[in-house]
Amino acid sequence: GSSTGAALLGAVLFGTLALMDPGLAQRFAEIMRGGREALANLPPGELARLAEGFRALFVGAAVLAGVATVLACRVPLRR
């Protein structure tokens, strides 16, 4: 369950970044490797596009949480 959700949300994040700018997903990976220095050198426009990708990620997480809640409520209780 959780590994599937993590994979789906990773696909949402990188898919959104790649749709907005094909090189943005690669630059995000470079930021992850480079740390704070790489993030500090990022132009403001790219930072805003990264924020859009993370908005899509959190919307996807909310949808997955909602689906999980509905599925959990549908499980019959055993006594």
Side-chain angles (χ1 to χ4, degrees), residues 2-79:
S2 63
S3 61
T4 303
L8 284 172
L9 292 176
V12 165
L13 174 63
F14 282 97
T16 303
L17 294 177
L19 283 174
M20 290 190 306
D21 179 3
L24 191 58
Q26 178 63 31
R27 285 190 293 281
F28 176 70
E30 291 169 5
I31 291 169
M32 291 291 101
R33 286 190 294 268
R36 291 182 187 206
E37 297 84 27
L39 187 58
N41 295 330
L42 198 64
E46 285 192 2
L47 193 58
R49 289 197 310 254
L50 279 175
E52 287 296 321
F54 277 94
R55 278 191 196 100
L57 171 89
F58 288 117
V59 167
V63 168
L64 282 177
V67 169
T69 300
V70 169
L71 291 176
C73 289
R74 294 188 52 158
V75 174
L77 294 175
R78 294 184 187 179
R79 293 180 188 224

